[in-house]
Amino acid sequence: MSSNKIRKLDETLINRIAAGEVVVRPCSAIKELIENSLDASSHQIHVYVKQGGLKRIEIRDDGCGILKDDLPLLCERFATSKLSSVDDLYQLNTYGFRGEALASLSYASHLTVITKVKDSPCAYTCTYEDGKIKNQVKPCAGTNGTTLIVEDLFYNNSLRLKMMKSLDEYHRIVDCVQKLALRNTHVSFQLKHDQQLDCDILTLPSTTLYQNMKQLYGPEIVRDMYDITISKHALYLFECKAYFTGTNYSSSSSSKSQAIFILFINGRLVDCQPLKKQILSMYALYVSKSTLPFVYVDLQMEPSTLDVNIHPSKSEVRFLNSEQIIQIIVKQIEDVLVQKSAKHSTTQLTLTVTPHSLALTPPTTTNSPTVSKTSKKSSIKKLQTSASSDPSQTYLDPRKMIRTDSRDQTLDKLKYHRSTSSSSKKTDDTEENEYQSPLAQIQFDRQIKLSSILELKQSIDDVCDQILEDIIKEFVYVGACDHKYSLIQYQTQLYLCDTRQLSQELFYQLSIYHFGNMGTIKLEQQPKIEELIRFDLQLDPETFNHRPDKNISEDDIVAYCLEFFSEKSEMLADYYSLSVSSDGRLETLPLLLENYVPNLDYLPQYLLRLIINVNWDDEKECFHTLSEETAKFYAYRPPLDQDDDSNDDDNENDDKTNWKWCVEHVLYHSFKTMLLPSKHLKQAFVKLTQVSQLYKVFERC
């Protein structure tokens, strides 16, 4: 048996050991101090850090302040104003309660406090060391609230200090402050570091959660965001509000390297690994590994069912009926993902058509939307895709769905990867390069061996331009100038690109290579072909005037069009997924590009052009001209109530109509991965300048 005698540790040593459990790293200190500021009813919280918080942390708030008489007890362990009895521990409505945070900081750093209450004629300041005031409380100048300055954190713990890297610690601080700022929409947060003048985090008071989310995590997150609300649960006595990204959200535009999971329970930022694990496991069923979701959960529970006194850091909690509550939350999130955001091979739209208006409206069980007045620019409302929100509609779990037709392709199955060596020598006796479209790499279940289609595919490869091919493969997107033009950079050169012309060429190639294997866009409220035709004829009565029988009446034209679509319906549905019902209603359109729906303002015009401009007498010309008209319809165009050169800055904050996001992340991304540029696209690229020329300009300045 060991002869070492048991002895009681020195109180200073005990407190320093305990301090290491509360203040693990700079971000944990900042979390504790911000929570104190929130408990003090602050409306502004400013955070400044130096060298990742290891050299200095300064937190200033405009809260209620600390009374002068309480300053001697401020850094005493287990001294707190938030508990008075054991019963209070199970009815907590504050963040802090243990009375350990400031005491731990005084043992792990040099701590200075400057504070002023509203009725005090001046502020007071003092410094602390090892839980006690180092010098006397002195009056000083100051505003209402409290400023805490933490200097030389872990100065007396060299091992922990060596393990810290200032850059990594600052990233953790940013993450912590972001999360706290996200929920506390009534508080203005600022975060700066070192000598910089601009704030890394800046939020305004009296905002909404969505506004904070957009400000803190970027607008791309809220573009595919859904939410659920669980009212007071009768059995388990909890409420929940959750916000989460759908399956169309791409993490490639995010600086994060992992999924973002944020959990607040009764307003406290905590960690719950079982809930996080189940949510991320559920997401794994619906999204690829490269898609990292964003999930925010705000849970309100009866304090008597919640135990926050698990660890001194207060980052872990336990609560009654945790398995059942987690199951309810995960199930509701999963239901929304399946209904609104799961990737299906069919995109559903709700379309309402009258002879005087064409509008795409979200499905509803209430009365139909009001019809606007007739005008070529104002009568056609902007169209928006929407999944049905009718609670009576049955939605299938994608894991239980099977394809009953080999033509039912799912676009997420088709992964486009442009080869780094897209060209190769044909033979040794020729210097011409042979190009092949990236779309040719796709293997469909249904093989199309029509010679006309094979010739059209070959013609796409034959007219590829080598210079444009290099630009398309390697360009970096800069930004959209307007609805028509965007800027890209290739090496040291800056180009102005015609977005509509490039998108038209892309959709033509997609129409050819996806021939007979196209996905479908399903129109839930199928418009009548007759109404679409009449609508376009009212907007453009001269449509048929170039025909020999130009004097025929509108009724005769409509009858002719209906007969045409009746005759061609089988072929259009089979090859182009353009389906017309037996009673003359348009049921589906082809889905050529994932996350992209054509501007349905031009749908009536498209249907008429299929009749007038397609050569139906020759097979090859028929497929060529039909694909051309489809490409013209799908090519990017703003709504009719906007000019092509309008910038639409007024709608910049409307996430559902943010066309710039679509241009950058859908169209130009697809140009880079799918498009094989032909020679006639040279006019779509205008070289503006190059870096060497800009240097000369700057040198003259």
Side-chain angles (χ1 to χ4, degrees), residues 563-589:
E563 182 181 359
F564 168 86
F565 280 106
S566 177
E567 293 177 356
K568 308 295 184 182
S569 61
E570 185 176 354
M571 186 272 283
L572 290 174
D574 188 21
Y575 291 148
Y576 285 87
S577 296
L578 198 156
S579 176
V580 179
S581 65
S582 58
D583 59 347
R585 292 182 179 273
L586 184 62
E587 295 179 324
T588 64
L589 292 171

Side-chain angles (χ1 to χ4, degrees), residues 42 300 473 529 539:
S42 303
Q300 295 291 327
K473 285 193 300 182
I529 296 290
L539 295 180

Side-chain angles (χ1 to χ4, degrees), residues 371-563:
V371 176
S372 58
K373 296 181 180 179
T374 302
S375 169
K376 186 164 185 176
K377 286 204 170 187
S378 64
S379 65
I380 304 182
K381 298 179 181 179
K382 190 164 187 177
L383 308 177
Q384 301 173 354
T385 59
S386 171
S388 174
S389 59
D390 185 354
S392 63
Q393 185 172 349
T394 301
Y395 291 91
L396 297 178
D397 188 331
R399 293 169 295 178
K400 300 177 181 179
M401 295 178 65
I402 60 172
R403 291 189 303 119
T404 57
D405 192 325
S406 63
R407 293 170 294 175
D408 292 342
Q409 296 294 324
T410 55
L411 288 185
D412 57 320
K413 163 188 172 182
L414 310 176
K415 302 299 182 184
Y416 303 95
H417 299 286
R418 180 178 292 278
S419 173
T420 56
S421 58
S422 59
S423 60
S424 58
K425 298 291 182 180
K426 281 185 176 181
T427 58
D428 294 337
D429 58 350
T430 179
E431 296 183 356
E432 294 184 0
N433 286 334
E434 178 182 341
Y435 299 93
Q436 187 178 47
S437 169
L439 300 175
Q441 303 172 14
I442 308 166
Q443 297 296 324
F444 291 104
D445 295 330
R446 182 188 185 191
Q447 298 295 320
I448 302 296
K449 298 183 180 181
L450 294 174
S451 59
S452 55
I453 293 297
L454 297 178
E455 291 173 6
L456 290 173
K457 291 180 180 179
Q458 185 61 46
S459 65
I460 293 174
D461 299 340
D462 291 342
V463 296
C464 177
D465 184 273
Q466 181 179 1
I467 297 177
L468 297 184
E469 166 76 353
D470 293 339
I471 294 175
I472 285 291
K473 285 193 300 182
E474 304 295 338
F475 79 81
V476 176
Y477 185 82
V478 177
C481 299
D482 52 33
H483 282 288
K484 188 174 183 180
Y485 295 106
S486 288
L487 291 173
I488 66 169
Q489 179 184 343
Y490 169 65
Q491 295 179 351
T492 61
Q493 301 159 351
L494 186 66
Y495 288 88
L496 186 68
C497 298
D498 189 324
T499 303
R500 171 166 169 74
Q501 193 171 353
L502 289 173
S503 63
Q504 182 171 323
E505 179 65 21
L506 171 67
F507 286 116
Y508 172 76
Q509 295 182 15
L510 286 169
S511 297
I512 296 300
Y513 276 93
H514 285 191
F515 183 88
N517 291 283
M518 299 179 187
T520 58
I521 298 175
K522 182 179 179 182
L523 306 177
E524 288 188 341
Q525 297 179 11
Q526 290 89 10
K528 291 183 178 180
I529 296 290
E530 177 181 353
E531 292 178 347
L532 292 172
I533 298 298
R534 289 188 186 276
F535 179 75
D536 191 65
L537 290 175
Q538 289 181 12
L539 295 180
D540 188 7
E542 304 298 317
T543 302
F544 274 77
N545 280 2
H546 70 285
R547 297 173 60 86
D549 49 356
K550 62 181 180 180
N551 294 323
I552 60 176
S553 66
E554 179 180 308
D555 290 339
D556 292 335
I557 294 176
V558 171
Y560 171 79
C561 294
L562 292 176
E563 182 181 359

